[in-house]
Amino acid sequence: MRIKPLLISIVDYAGLFPPAQLSLSEAMKSYKQAQSSPHHWMVDRLVLPATRLHEFVQILNTSIKIDSEINSEINSDKHLCKQWLLSVILSRNWAVELEQLQQVSQAAFQLGQPLSQPIEIRALEVAPLPPAEIEQLCLHLPAKVTLPLYFEIPFDAALEPYLQVLKKTNTAAKLRTGGMTSNLFPDSAQLSQRILSFAQARIPFKATAGLHHPLRGNYRLTYQPDSPAATMHGFLNVALLAAFAYQQSMTPDEATALLEERSIAAFQFTDTEVIWRNRHLSSQEVEQSRQQFFHSFGSCSFQEPIDDLHTLNLL
């Protein structure tokens, strides 16, 4: 199996957000560079707030040179993807933003439907809302829209009402796994409990923030030299826990222990399976869990995960 089935299309590029916090044109250029890199198979969607959608379309209409600049830099367009695949974030002001989204899409592209312009909205993400409002939002969506919807669930909220409404509306969850300060990182017990609950309920999810590195460890919170550090979760830990939880029963203690593994020596990746302690997952089981359960994680850096995977000799 090696590592590829676990990581295909796993990164939603979020360069607009801290700590990178690029301008939109810079983030768009970085996204295209990721799509044209040798590891293009790891990147999926560009994460874009609904409030920036007009600006995004304007940049596309006035700055066609983005692709040509990238082509001149890499001297090859072998892997250049001609589509902009978007995951659009709705705020608590979602009703107004949905109307704006419809207006922009009528002028430039349709939700989920690629037109002559190479743009496709692949998912919608929504800021934390009460469960009742999640159902209300779903009722406001046009019937033809069948995109994945990811609703962020705060860690300080009771989980069961969210599980009920997500199952009822056939939508997905979003977990915030970090941030700019150490208090924004859920502890391993909190995060593993959520993942186990989603697996039991068969509710897919994505993660966002704080997952720049493959393995759990102590890392700087920003790119500043004097940045404080914090213990961060690893995206391999999260992806593997999700795969094991979806395919097999795991105890809370086992799930927490998997999230807290800091050494790649604890895992074995062969051509046909991945092994952790006495547990085995086939490549087919990993692929199924990625397709049906843990969809992706948002990261403001694409290169940082790649560099770390090279350091671990996984790429």
Side-chain angles (χ1 to χ4, degrees):
M1 182 197 99
R2 299 304 175 190
I3 200 71
K4 191 170 182 177
L6 185 67
L7 300 181
I8 288 177
S9 301
I10 200 169
V11 177
D12 285 336
Y13 179 64
L16 286 173
F17 299 87
Q21 214 159 5
L22 302 177
S23 70
L24 181 52
S25 59
E26 290 172 331
M28 291 167 67
K29 184 174 180 179
S30 293
Y31 177 67
K32 280 300 184 184
Q33 288 173 328
Q35 286 185 318
S36 61
S37 77
H39 305 297
H40 61 96
W41 51 270
M42 280 182 58
V43 69
D44 192 5
R45 302 165 290 210
L46 173 66
V47 182
L48 182 70
T51 53
R52 308 289 298 273
L53 201 52
H54 283 283
E55 181 186 356
F56 171 81
V57 173
Q58 288 175 350
I59 290 175
L60 279 187
N61 289 338
T62 60
S63 302
I64 303 174
K65 62 181 181 179
I66 288 177
D67 279 352
S68 61
E69 287 177 358
I70 294 172
N71 282 337
S72 64
E73 290 174 10
I74 63 177
N75 296 317
S76 169
D77 61 354
K78 179 179 179 181
H79 300 297
L80 187 61
C81 178
K82 296 182 178 180
Q83 279 194 313
W84 294 91
L85 309 177
L86 304 182
S87 185
V88 175
I89 299 179
L90 301 176
S91 73
R92 291 179 179 85
N93 194 27
W94 56 265
V96 171
E97 291 169 356
L98 278 177
E99 291 182 6
Q100 295 172 343
L101 196 61
Q102 290 294 318
Q103 293 170 4
V104 173
S105 64
Q106 288 171 5
F109 50 92
Q110 296 177 357
L111 292 176
Q113 299 293 324
L115 297 180
S116 56
Q117 291 195 53
I119 307 166
E120 183 180 352
I121 294 182
R122 282 277 183 92
L124 297 177
E125 304 179 30
V126 189
L129 300 174
E133 197 170 347
I134 290 176
E135 191 168 358
Q136 185 181 1
L137 186 155
C138 292
L139 292 174
H140 275 71
L141 288 172
K144 65 178 180 180
V145 175
T146 58
L147 303 173
L149 268 72
Y150 299 96
F151 291 96
E152 184 172 338
I153 304 177
F155 277 93
D156 60 358
L159 183 59
E160 188 56 36
Y162 282 95
L163 296 180
Q164 292 177 4
V165 74
L166 294 183
K167 286 183 72 70
K168 181 178 180 180
T169 56
N170 195 30
T171 53
K174 177 179 174 180
L175 290 180
R176 189 162 296 276
T177 46
M180 294 293 289
T181 57
S182 59
N183 64 301
L184 295 177
F185 290 80
D187 65 37
S188 298
Q190 288 177 305
L191 182 55
S192 61
Q193 186 271 333
R194 287 289 165 100
I195 294 174
L196 290 177
S197 296
F198 293 153
Q200 184 176 17
R202 287 302 194 251
I203 291 173
F205 77 101
K206 70 167 290 184
T208 190
L211 291 179
H212 291 198
H213 303 280
L215 293 173
R216 181 178 176 85
N218 201 51
Y219 305 104
R220 293 184 184 277
L221 288 165
T222 73
Y223 299 126
Q224 300 303 316
D226 59 347
S227 169
T231 299
M232 300 184 181
H233 298 288
F235 62 81
L236 284 184
N237 302 77
V238 171
L240 286 169
L241 171 56
F244 278 109
Y246 190 71
Q247 299 291 351
Q248 307 174 12
S249 61
M250 292 194 84
T251 68
D253 286 345
E254 286 178 312
T256 299
L258 201 164
L259 281 186
E260 293 186 345
E261 291 282 13
R262 292 174 178 248
S263 172
I264 196 61
F267 307 99
Q268 296 180 54
F269 297 93
T270 75
D271 290 335
T272 58
E273 64 180 358
V274 58
I275 305 167
W276 175 69
R277 296 187 178 179
N278 63 338
R279 291 185 173 271
H280 299 242
L281 277 177
S282 70
S283 57
Q284 291 81 10
E285 289 174 321
V286 169
E287 290 170 3
Q288 184 184 48
S289 66
R290 281 296 323 285
Q291 292 167 3
Q292 300 179 9
F293 186 45
F294 178 48
H295 290 171
S296 62
F297 68 91
S299 173
C300 72
S301 172
F302 181 67
Q303 192 60 45
E304 195 168 16
I306 297 297
D307 290 343
D308 280 6
L309 289 168
H310 275 297
T311 299
L312 295 173
N313 294 316
L314 293 176
L315 289 178

